[in-house]
Amino acid sequence: MIVVMNHNADKADIDRILQKLTDAGFQIHLSRGVEKTIIGAIGDKTRLGDLSLEAMPGVEKVVPILQPYKLASRAYMNSSTVVKVGDLEIGGDSIQVMAGPCAVESRDQLLKSAMLVREAGATMLRGGAYKPRTSPYSFQGLEEKGLELLAEARELTGLRIVTEVMDASTIELVAKYADVLQIGTRNMQNFFLLRQVARTGKPVLLKRGSSSTIEEWLLAAEYILAEGNRNVILCERGVRTFENYTRNTLDLTAVPVVKYLSHLPVIVDPSHAIGKWRFVEPMARAAIAAGADGLLIEVHPNPAEALCDGPQSLTPENFKALMQNIGAIAEVTGRNMGRIQ
């Protein structure tokens, strides 16, 4: 449930409610807005009848949250969450584009990619240092060396870094270098990993599982939020259907639906959804038109020589054209493209 406090409720009123809920065994999440304070309480609802919260000073109303995801729901927080990554904002008026190669392959490849996407207008650099691959014989990433190269690219370009965390043993190392920790589709329901990543306090980019419902996706986000980390960015990257011409089926309906159900920002990864470079740009345009807060795009200096996901990676020229086109759509929808200060 949530307890909505009156606009004139003072600190003593709020503290009394917090103490009463804590004594009753509820987990508390406090949200102080400009006009009102909202107290989220998670616990055994059978105890509510004995608390008489609505009779206490400063309480405006008590509202039960019916969805299984509590902290991620708009019932808990009606205003949209804006996740800050340095001086960048994800979920506000600006659209942030995260671009770069699927994997960090070499210093030359990564630095060249970083400069190219920075010049085209991207604000964040994506690149995998640890790569989850279906085959054990495929390129698995440069690991810590890859993280060091990502940090070097950030120093050179000012781009913020997004990279994937594969397992709990590497969280501390990845968090040392990355600005945003990505949870890939295979790990969306690795609940132990979600809790551990949340405790770093770093922003978390949570990709939707390839066979996951929207409710399951939001419940995965709930694990991060329940650990006290409010900096969650949802990423739609396509779901598995009967269609096999494309890698996955991009579910753009998820963007407005999730924004209706949740206050969390939503970005879209058309590269992994489509798996074919020539369809990435039109789907990126469609994503922005649908209300996405950003994009995750694979770009490689020479896709034909990429060690992974070359067929879905854009060339620098195609990425520059994509940025120009989505900028025009952003303007039509009343938004602007993010910029590095």
Side-chain angles (χ1 to χ4, degrees):
M1 66 173 177
I2 60 173
V3 180
V4 182
M5 305 299 292
N6 289 323
H7 68 279
N8 57 355
D10 58 24
K11 184 178 184 300
D13 293 333
I14 295 170
D15 287 344
R16 275 191 292 269
I17 297 296
L18 294 175
Q19 189 62 55
K20 194 160 191 176
L21 289 169
T22 301
D23 290 345
F26 285 87
Q27 185 180 350
I28 305 302
H29 295 269
L30 185 63
S31 176
R32 297 182 186 273
V34 177
E35 298 181 357
K36 294 181 181 180
T37 295
I38 295 175
I39 302 169
I42 300 176
D44 184 359
K45 66 181 180 180
T46 61
R47 300 184 182 184
L48 292 178
D50 299 329
L51 297 182
S52 302
L53 294 174
E54 289 185 321
M56 295 182 66
V59 175
E60 179 178 311
K61 59 183 176 179
V62 177
V63 182
I65 300 177
L66 302 179
Q67 296 99 327
Y69 45 90
K70 311 298 183 184
L71 302 176
S73 74
R74 280 223 179 253
Y76 172 67
M77 183 181 295
N78 189 47
S79 59
S80 296
T81 289
V82 176
V83 175
K84 292 189 176 183
V85 183
D87 57 0
L88 301 176
E89 293 186 343
I90 301 173
D93 294 330
S94 297
I95 292 167
Q96 308 297 343
V97 176
M98 310 166 189
C102 171
V104 179
E105 301 168 5
S106 68
R107 183 175 184 272
D108 180 67
Q109 172 251 15
L110 183 68
L111 296 186
K112 186 178 294 184
S113 298
M115 289 185 285
L116 289 168
V117 300
R118 169 72 169 84
E119 182 182 351
T123 54
M124 303 182 73
L125 176 66
R126 61 143 298 152
Y130 295 86
K131 293 303 300 176
R133 307 301 301 278
T134 301
S135 170
Y137 308 112
S138 299
F139 177 63
Q140 305 290 315
L142 297 180
E143 302 183 348
E144 186 171 5
K145 178 60 178 177
L147 294 173
E148 293 171 354
L149 293 175
L150 286 167
E152 183 181 352
R154 177 174 52 208
E155 286 295 315
L156 179 68
T157 63
L159 295 166
R160 299 292 174 171
I161 301 302
V162 183
T163 194
E164 185 170 352
V165 176
M166 288 281 294
D167 55 61
S169 67
T170 60
I171 290 175
E172 184 177 350
L173 179 62
V174 177
K176 175 183 173 183
Y177 292 93
D179 299 295
V180 177
L181 305 179
Q182 176 181 310
I183 298 294
T185 181
R186 293 172 175 86
N187 272 323
M188 189 204 82
Q189 291 184 307
N190 184 340
F191 303 127
F192 176 78
L193 180 63
L194 296 180
R195 289 193 184 101
Q196 295 295 106
V197 166
R199 291 168 189 163
T200 67
K202 293 261 186 174
V204 179
L205 191 153
L206 179 64
K207 283 198 167 189
R208 183 182 182 182
S210 60
S211 300
S212 299
T213 65
I214 287 174
E215 182 174 294
E216 290 167 340
W217 188 18
L218 290 174
L219 280 169
E222 191 79 4
Y223 273 88
I224 302 168
L225 296 168
E227 291 295 325
N229 189 336
R230 309 296 177 87
N231 301 308
V232 180
I233 306 156
L234 299 172
C235 180
E236 162 59 37
R237 44 79 68 206
V239 291
R240 182 168 294 176
T241 68
F242 54 83
E243 181 54 65
N244 58 15
Y245 183 75
T246 55
R247 181 171 180 174
N248 295 284
T249 298
L250 180 56
D251 182 12
L252 284 182
T253 60
V255 176
V257 168
V258 168
K259 283 182 165 288
Y260 173 76
L261 295 173
S262 175
H263 54 87
L264 298 173
V266 186
I267 70 168
V268 171
D269 176 357
S271 301
H272 277 89
I274 307 303
K276 297 175 184 287
W277 69 266
R278 58 176 47 85
F279 304 123
V280 169
E281 195 248 316
M283 288 297 95
R285 287 190 274 118
I288 299 304
D293 297 302
L295 296 168
L296 189 65
I297 306 288
E298 289 194 356
V299 181
H300 195 284
N302 188 350
E305 295 182 359
L307 296 182
C308 68
D309 288 349
Q312 67 194 37
S313 298
L314 297 183
T315 63
E317 293 75 19
N318 287 332
F319 179 66
K320 185 178 294 186
L322 177 149
M323 291 296 290
Q324 292 172 348
N325 289 331
I326 63 172
I329 294 175
E331 185 176 352
V332 170
T333 59
R335 304 178 79 181
N336 57 73
M337 300 299 294
R339 293 286 185 268
I340 296 175
Q341 299 299 322

